[in-house]
Amino acid sequence: KNGYEHFMLKEINEEPDVFKKILNKYIKNDKIVDIFDISKYEEIEIVACGSAYHAGLIGKYYIESIANIKTTVSYASEYRYKKHFFNKNSLVIVISQSGETADTKEALKIANEALLDTLAIVNVYKSSIAREAKYVLYTISGIEISVATTKAYMAQCLVLLLLALNVKNDKKLIQDLFKIPNLLSKYINRDYKKYAKIISKYDDIFYLGRGVDYYIAQEGSLKLKEISYIHSEAYAAGELKHGTISLIEDGTLVIGVLTQPALYEKTLSNMVECKSRGAYLMGLTTF
């Protein structure tokens, strides 16, 4: 454990080095290299489970906003049972830390049988999914022992971003990526115990966000449930007023994710409405 109290804390602290390792592998002279080319596809479908599914949602945001390719995200556990309208000019991306996730393997099998191009984003070399997909990208995040993924989730999000940037080579954004490891180190080492003590007093917690912030909120809510066993839900902030706000009352904690300037005021107004019903507010923001 390298002196850390548990493996999850160790793996969180490995994130800056993992981030640098991925950048150094896939970026040379401010250009993306050795990354799969998604520009030839009309549609992309991302299939995954759990945190990998949430990484897929982040990937959808990147691919649509940067590469301008229509992207959908499906739960692997549902993919097996739904009707498919396959476009032969589509790419199916499957994401799995272990490369052995049973539902994701079955989804990959369906895509392969439909003769679609398949791309696996996995961490474990020569895993089942890596072997069975037509193409593979490795997240090279090293062994992850903790059941609740942290560094592997971050690595999946980064690889998906690089996939999008490979279509539209934004030199400034690529250069800015190299600033992130230092920022990760700065924020990882902050004292979060005071916030944890506040959160631990609540039995019901809602995460709110819009756009990509909603996708981040979903992963945050999942992590809280996995680690603390506290009931938590993530909602698209604008949807809260369509019935679910009736659950917001005294003794409810609402955590807002507000990282997008264009949507800041919108999400903030939803949080203020929750406060008027007695909720305690916390915010995760970049400004």
Side-chain angles (χ1 to χ4, degrees):
K1 299 175 189 174
N2 289 357
Y4 291 102
E5 186 178 348
H6 47 74
F7 282 110
M8 187 169 172
L9 193 58
K10 170 183 175 287
E11 288 157 9
I12 289 172
N13 277 273
E14 289 172 348
E15 288 181 7
D17 287 338
V18 169
F19 204 99
K20 279 190 250 184
K21 187 178 178 181
I22 294 170
L23 293 182
N24 290 333
K25 176 177 174 60
Y26 292 119
I27 297 176
K28 304 293 182 187
N29 300 318
D30 297 333
K31 290 186 178 180
I32 309 291
V33 296
D34 299 327
I35 281 282
F36 186 76
D37 183 8
I38 61 173
S39 63
K40 64 182 178 180
Y41 298 101
E42 293 178 2
E43 295 181 7
I44 294 174
E45 185 163 21
I46 300 173
V47 187
C49 300
S51 292
Y53 171 84
H54 296 150
L57 292 172
I58 300 289
K60 167 185 166 69
Y61 170 78
Y62 291 148
I63 293 168
E64 290 188 336
S65 60
I66 298 172
N68 202 35
I69 301 171
K70 178 184 176 182
T71 305
T72 58
V73 188
S74 298
Y75 286 111
S77 56
E78 292 293 316
Y79 194 80
R80 300 165 62 180
Y81 308 110
K82 73 175 188 177
K83 183 174 177 62
H84 298 280
F85 298 89
F86 290 129
N87 178 343
K88 291 301 180 183
N89 198 21
S90 295
L91 171 69
V92 175
I93 300 175
V94 293
I95 309 173
S96 169
Q97 190 282 131
S98 66
E100 303 293 344
T101 311
D103 286 324
T104 308
K105 283 171 65 177
E106 288 298 319
L108 174 59
K109 181 180 177 182
I110 291 169
N112 282 337
E113 289 175 348
L115 302 179
L116 298 177
D117 280 358
T118 54
L119 169 66
I121 297 177
V122 298
N123 187 39
V124 180
Y125 283 86
K126 297 183 179 179
S127 56
S128 297
I129 290 174
R131 292 195 310 268
E132 294 170 18
K134 187 173 182 179
Y135 306 102
V136 61
L137 282 173
Y138 289 103
T139 54
I140 57 173
S141 55
I143 295 171
E144 188 168 63
I145 294 174
S146 177
V147 173
T149 180
T150 52
K151 65 173 180 175
Y153 165 79
M154 179 213 68
Q156 290 162 358
C157 291
L158 178 55
V159 168
L160 286 161
L161 173 57
L162 295 177
L163 271 177
L165 285 172
N166 193 37
V167 176
K168 185 179 180 181
N169 208 54
D170 187 326
K171 185 176 180 180
K172 174 66 166 61
L173 181 52
I174 290 170
Q175 290 173 340
D176 284 345
L177 287 176
F178 286 89
K179 301 175 184 177
I180 292 178
N182 287 336
L183 290 172
L184 284 170
S185 296
K186 175 183 176 181
Y187 287 103
I188 284 170
N189 292 315
R190 282 191 171 187
D191 181 12
Y192 288 100
K193 288 184 178 179
K194 62 181 179 180
Y195 303 111
K197 286 179 180 177
I198 294 171
I199 292 171
S200 68
K201 297 175 183 177
Y202 290 87
D203 296 321
D204 296 291
I205 297 174
F206 283 82
Y207 283 74
L208 301 183
R210 290 172 180 259
V212 71
D213 289 341
Y214 172 46
Y215 304 150
I216 296 168
Q218 286 177 276
E219 176 63 8
S221 177
L222 174 62
K223 280 291 171 287
L224 187 67
K225 284 180 276 198
E226 281 186 296
I227 302 307
S228 70
Y229 307 115
I230 295 173
H231 170 253
S232 171
E233 302 289 344
Y235 268 86
E239 288 300 302
L240 193 68
K241 62 180 176 287
H242 296 295
T244 311
I245 199 164
S246 61
L247 298 175
I248 305 295
E249 56 187 18
D250 288 338
T252 303
L253 171 62
V254 174
I255 300 176
V257 185
L258 311 96
T259 70
Q260 302 165 95
L263 299 176
Y264 182 90
E265 293 296 334
K266 283 280 191 181
T267 303
L268 189 61
S269 68
N270 297 126
M271 294 179 67
V272 170
E273 191 173 358
C274 291
K275 185 177 181 180
S276 71
R277 298 180 64 88
Y280 183 84
L281 304 184
M282 293 179 72
L284 301 172
T285 183
T286 52
F287 22 76

